[in-house]
């Protein structure tokens, strides 16, 4: 693998980032193993408390001497009227019944001010613990926050879904940009454009972004092996960020029922949905998505809907039932394998070398 | 460019097919110039009469000694009740008024039997004129038709949007398969799967198809230059089919107002719509699409809606008004250039060589 600007800046061997999947997937073993294998392991800290973050950061430092990173959700303004919450609960209550859990009528809903406070506390932990790399999704933090992180020599990575979003990220002085294609699993990272306009396939998106920014572009979405890795490099990306490929690895904290759903899925079985969290995300189609689809556009914003569905997702998992949990996956589930991170990394690099010699 | 199975079978120099865009884009000059430049020029004959086809085939034979191809639409069963047509006309009449054209109430609508008859006549012309390559979209023709064409040693190419569609195409004995990603402009080629399920980005789609068929896979959708070409090869494709990149070429028959719309568009300005033809297709968003969007799902099937909108599209063109014509484009309009076919082909090959030497 020749040197490139991305591996130089991140001080890693291979330009491969493990996507910071939130919600328990990025165990310390997963993150450390990716970094130990020459890639960049990332903590998906979007839903974590500052305390949880600090504990995991310290744990990972025990498991690897190599750089690793962390990802935060930039708070987006949101609001939900009592009526919206009641309507959403009216849809969710029959599903709660199916899972034998109590109907919730007076849940503690998130408040924007509190979300912002937590974000600031999360940033403090990153600075104090000197995490080498910090990436953001769902937007761009304030200039104040960016400048503060840069003063600590932490590498900053933004997430974009269109050319203009990438250009805005470069303007803030961030060091790199992850460019998320429509193939990607999990939450969509669009923050300037609407949902439909920002669904652009990587084959189109990467070269158009590369022509308009000077910072390294990291391709994300549907990349699973040496083929996708080399294709991304040909399109002009400096490297890749891979989610689903790491999610089904042995070291990942995703529940087995989630891993199995991906391992058994075909490429046409993923859908985009707001049903779980209030933000569009791609996952394997299931009963929950189908039952809520007709109301999809009118559900409360993220993270309100996410809070409303929390108990349902938890019960579905406890009952080992894939029908009512989020089964995030990109569009390449046929390429997923249940293997160790070390094996996955080795396969990517050796396949990439083979392709180089062949073309 | 090393030899590959696709160039060998097609007897061409570079594994690059000019997409058979229907509706007047594929002039004889465009098709011949692509073939003269070492690619495969293709006639988009979907809307042509057998007579028009024969004339153009003979004209192209005068302009190139190299192989070229032709594409037909496989007839799909359709029907439209009087009520559906009346409802569609109720939506279209105010638009006709804006363009100062007469409201149509007793249009001659297509009939399935007649469409099938024309298809059989089109096949006869291809056999008689010994066109070297024939590709199909919107489905798979009958075994009878396929066997007949194969007996004439004409290379057959199918179009797929999912793994299963590609597998079905291979089973029929066709020689190659064009795999259309969600990035692609113009009509969607899905014929087994529904619209949403078949919107898969090329980064995901190509390797998953390649793993399940043995015939050469040709990548289509958003590919505009040497970067997309090399990326497709890395993903396992034998070559590429490019539409939008050829559409804006000087030799293309697309109206200037269409070329200009693409040349000025950004990557987020294309949408998927049934408004023009009754079949989902990707083009630059305009007034016609926006005005009809709310009724999109209930419009008559292809080709009924196509016939209903014919005069509108024609008047919009005559009036040099991009608001009411179909401005088909893939998701990479920022990469489009108004240049000669020769220049485009040369640039793809030289950029591909540069990438090979660099990676």
């Amino acid at each position: 693998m020749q040197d490139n600007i991305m591996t130089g800046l991140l001080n890693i061997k291979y330009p491969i980032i493990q996507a910071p999947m939130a919600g328990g997937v990025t165990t310390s073993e997963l993150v450390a193993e990716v970094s130990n294998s020459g890639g960049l392991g990332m903590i998906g800290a979007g839903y974590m408390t500052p305390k949880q973050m600090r504990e995991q950061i310290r744990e990972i430092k025990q498991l690897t001497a190599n750089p690793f990173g962390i990802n935060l959700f930039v708070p987006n303004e949101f609001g939900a009227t009592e009526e919206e919450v009641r309507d959403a609960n009216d849809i969710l209550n029959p599903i709660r019944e199916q899972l034998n859990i109590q109907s919730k009528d007076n849940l503690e809903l998130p408040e924007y001010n509190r979300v912002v406070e937590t974000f600031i506390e999360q940033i403090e932990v990153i600075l104090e613990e000197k995490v080498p790399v910090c990436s953001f999704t769902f937007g761009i933090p304030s200039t104040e926050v960016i400048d503060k992180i840069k003063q600590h020599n932490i590498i900053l990575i933004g997430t974009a879904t269109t050319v203009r979003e990438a250009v805005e990220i470069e303007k803030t002085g961030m060091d790199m940009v992850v460019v998320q294609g429509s193939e990607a699993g999990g939450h969509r990272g669009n923050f300037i454009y609407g949902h439909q306009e920002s669904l652009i396939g990587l084959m189109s998106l990467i070269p158009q972004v590369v022509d308009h920014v000077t910072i390294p572009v990291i391709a994300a979405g549907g990349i699973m092996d040496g083929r996708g890795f080399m294709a991304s490099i040909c399109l002009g990306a400096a490297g890749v960020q891979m989610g689903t490929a790491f999610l089904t690895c042995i070291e990942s904290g995703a529940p087995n029922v989630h891993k199995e759903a991906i391992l058994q899925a075909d490429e046409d079985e993923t859908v985009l949905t707001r049903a779980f969290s209030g933000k569009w995300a791609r996952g394997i189609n299931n009963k929950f998505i189908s039952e809520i689809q007709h109301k999809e556009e009118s559900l409360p914003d993220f993270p309100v809907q996410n809070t409303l569905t929390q108990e349902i997702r938890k019960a579905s998992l406890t009952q080992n039932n894939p029908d009512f949990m989020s089964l995030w996956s990109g569009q390449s589930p046929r390429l997923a394998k249940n293997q160790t991170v070390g094996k996955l990394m080795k396969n990517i690099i050796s396949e990439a070398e083979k392709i180089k010699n062949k073309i």
Side-chain angles (χ1 to χ4, degrees), chain A residues 61-281:
Chain A
K61 284 178 185 167
Q62 300 297 314
L63 298 172
T64 184
N66 291 346
F68 63 95
I70 194 159
N71 174 272
L72 296 181
F73 295 161
V74 177
N76 298 158
E77 282 194 57
F78 63 89
T81 63
E82 273 183 39
E83 197 192 341
E84 282 169 341
V85 173
R86 198 174 49 237
D87 285 352
N89 264 327
D90 285 348
I91 305 167
L92 295 173
N93 281 335
I95 292 172
R96 293 191 177 105
E97 269 174 46
Q98 292 182 60
L99 287 162
N100 292 313
I101 52 175
Q102 290 223 306
S103 294
K104 295 271 177 179
D105 287 322
N106 45 7
L107 263 179
E108 199 184 317
L109 293 177
E111 285 166 37
Y112 180 63
N113 288 345
R114 186 67 202 101
V115 171
V116 173
E117 272 171 41
T118 304
F119 180 69
I120 297 300
E121 289 164 23
Q122 288 175 321
I123 298 282
E124 286 304 322
V125 173
I126 291 170
L127 300 180
E128 285 163 23
E129 293 294 331
K130 299 181 178 49
V131 181
V133 180
C134 177
S135 78
F136 292 101
T137 32
F138 307 155
I140 301 176
S142 68
T143 317
E144 204 186 338
V145 167
I146 291 176
D147 290 347
K148 203 166 172 186
I149 301 174
K150 282 176 80 79
Q151 280 162 21
H152 285 71
N153 292 319
I154 291 170
I155 297 286
L156 274 169
I157 307 179
T159 307
T161 64
T162 60
V163 173
R164 198 178 128 209
E165 286 177 352
V167 168
E168 293 300 321
I169 284 168
E170 176 166 45
K171 275 189 200 159
T172 66
M174 292 209 211
D175 300 286
M176 303 182 199
V177 59
V178 166
V179 171
Q180 184 192 40
S182 54
E183 297 92 343
H187 283 109
R188 301 290 307 152
N190 57 302
F191 60 94
I192 296 178
Y193 287 81
H195 173 55
Q196 287 299 337
E197 304 93 276
S198 63
L199 287 173
I200 301 160
L202 279 187
M203 187 66 82
S204 285
L205 188 54
I206 296 297
Q208 292 182 95
V209 171
V210 165
D211 287 350
H212 289 87
V213 299
T214 57
I215 52 175
V217 167
I218 301 158
I223 302 162
M224 302 290 282
D225 56 22
R227 294 176 288 187
F229 175 80
M230 285 303 295
S232 300
I233 301 293
C234 288
L235 290 173
V240 298
Q241 179 170 293
M242 297 164 61
T244 312
F246 286 106
L247 190 149
T248 58
C249 277
I250 289 162
E251 294 90 340
S252 132
N256 279 331
V257 64
H258 186 175
K259 292 182 185 177
E260 277 305 313
I262 294 174
L263 293 166
Q264 288 166 19
D266 289 345
E267 79 290 351
D268 57 288
E269 287 178 51
T270 76
V271 288
L272 289 154
T273 182
R274 289 184 73 231
F276 289 108
S277 71
K279 203 181 259 297
W280 289 101

